[in-house]
Amino acid sequence: MGYIGKTPTPQPLTATDIPDLPATKITSGTFPALNGSNLTNLDAADLTGTLPAISGANLTGVSAGKVLQVVSAEDSSERSTSSSSFTDIVSASITPASTSNKVLVIVGVAGIRRDSGNGYITAKVVDGSGFSKSVGHAMLYNGSSGALRIGSANGSFLHTTNTTSQKTYTVQFNSATNAATVIVGDNGSSVSSLTLMEIEG
Amino acid sequence: MANTFKVKTNGAMPASAGTPLTLYTCPSSTQTIVIGLTLCNIHTTAVTADVQLVSDTSDTETNETVLLIKDVDIPAKSSLEVLSGGKYVLQATDILKVDCSVSAKIDATLSILEIT
């Protein structure tokens, strides 16, 4: 047959036109985009390699207890006081994503020393909005007036903030009885720390 | 024995799409050589066409009605030459029919040699 004028547009081949095409003949080209619904019989043993980086936002099926963010701060300065008024050691700020979330506060006050007199050192965490939690109360008695080193005071607690505003937590210490000069960060070689973790409520 | 060249034409075939319309019937005591058959699409869009050979003549075998072309595309403003080099022989009472996907959109031109 021959045409005068236009020849009909050739019809594209479909898969039914090439029912016996062996896979070895498919050597080039680009497959169409696939999604999970196309992978109906994928064996778990075929899942090898490295997973992509994920963040907490990818863990959408976890109902509670998920760590949403972590903030930490450290201080190694030697600080001393003989007053019952509290002195700041280290601060860190965190902004909860929801009022139902909680903040896990982990405190470490390192290098506690007494230089003179007998007394107590108290360490606490405040948030500047009336919240205060004592995390260490150490007795510094040994019957002499020389230096007395007792190491560190550590503590942790879960704070229900009920806010989505930024919270700034500060670790403080004092000489509880005004009777002794107490030091933290002994010789500048001890590191006090404050770590804040937002826990999904 | 006489040989007569003829042309048979039929405009705007068929009357009804899906019902093949007779273009030519081979007369009795006649053998016909089909020299050419051209189908012209007079529609504004593409159509498909069938050409049917109706035959029940018999000698050692009995003929059957067959399609020469089936659902062949003919673009708009185009014609299809059904015979390209080949020829058809028709025997007495054999019929050539034309059908189209759209009624009255094929102009058919048939060139024949009748041998009587």
Side-chain angles (χ1 to χ4, degrees):
Chain A
M1 293 185 294
Y3 285 91
I4 301 170
K6 288 188 285 187
T7 300
T9 303
Q11 296 297 313
L13 292 175
T14 66
T16 57
D17 296 316
I18 45 176
D20 299 319
L21 180 66
T24 54
K25 296 297 183 183
I26 304 174
T27 58
S28 63
T30 303
F31 283 106
L34 297 176
N35 60 36
S37 63
N38 301 111
L39 304 172
T40 55
N41 293 308
L42 183 62
D43 192 287
D46 295 323
L47 296 173
T48 61
T50 304
L51 290 174
I54 61 173
S55 68
N58 299 107
L59 302 174
T60 55
V62 180
S63 58
K66 183 171 65 180
V67 177
L68 301 178
Q69 59 173 320
V70 179
V71 178
S72 67
E74 294 180 342
D75 184 89
S76 59
S77 301
E78 182 175 298
R79 303 172 189 276
S80 70
T81 184
S82 56
S83 169
S84 59
S85 298
F86 281 88
T87 298
D88 294 349
I89 302 174
V90 61
S91 296
S93 298
I94 193 168
T95 303
S98 168
T99 56
S100 60
N101 294 344
K102 294 177 171 54
V103 176
L104 177 61
V105 182
I106 302 171
V107 184
V109 178
I112 298 174
R113 188 179 88 228
R114 180 215 66 191
D115 271 356
S116 62
N118 291 312
Y120 302 91
I121 181 173
T122 300
K124 68 177 182 179
V125 175
V126 297
D127 71 349
S129 300
F131 171 77
S132 178
K133 175 79 78 175
S134 180
V135 293
H137 188 76
M139 209 166 108
L140 299 169
Y141 277 80
N142 71 345
S144 71
S145 58
L148 173 63
R149 294 177 171 83
I150 63 164
S152 61
N154 303 293
S156 62
F157 60 91
L158 196 61
H159 185 206
T160 302
T161 63
N162 292 319
T163 185
T164 56
S165 299
Q166 177 178 285
K167 301 288 291 184
T168 299
Y169 294 90
T170 302
V171 182
Q172 300 176 325
F173 78 109
N174 75 345
S175 178
T177 60
N178 291 321
T181 299
V182 296
I183 293 94
V184 297
D186 181 30
N187 290 325
S189 57
S190 301
V191 178
S192 297
S193 64
L194 173 61
T195 300
L196 307 175
M197 295 184 182
E198 182 183 0
I199 309 298
E200 187 170 25
Chain B
M1 181 174 288
N3 296 333
T4 306
F5 287 98
K6 291 183 178 179
V7 64
K8 299 285 184 179
T9 61
N10 194 324
M13 299 181 73
S16 175
T19 303
L21 184 65
T22 296
L23 175 62
Y24 172 74
T25 301
C26 186
S28 61
S29 303
T30 302
Q31 292 177 312
T32 297
I33 308 298
V34 179
I35 301 169
L37 173 58
T38 300
L39 305 179
C40 177
N41 178 7
I42 60 174
H43 197 22
T44 54
T45 60
V47 297
T48 62
D50 295 354
V51 174
Q52 190 179 58
L53 171 57
V54 179
S55 177
D56 61 356
T57 56
S58 180
D59 38 51
T60 57
E61 298 85 20
T62 301
N63 284 353
E64 294 182 339
T65 298
V66 294
L67 288 166
L68 303 180
I69 61 171
K70 177 177 173 57
D71 293 335
V72 173
D73 293 314
I74 306 177
K77 304 176 183 178
S78 299
S79 295
L80 172 67
E81 290 182 326
V82 178
L83 278 74
S84 294
K87 300 291 178 287
Y88 294 124
V89 173
L90 303 183
Q91 295 175 271
T93 72
D94 288 351
I95 305 168
L96 273 180
K97 293 185 175 183
V98 174
D99 193 8
C100 178
S101 57
V102 182
S103 62
K105 297 302 178 186
I106 290 289
D107 277 5
T109 301
L110 177 70
S111 296
I112 56 175
L113 172 64
E114 284 186 341
I115 304 170
T116 55

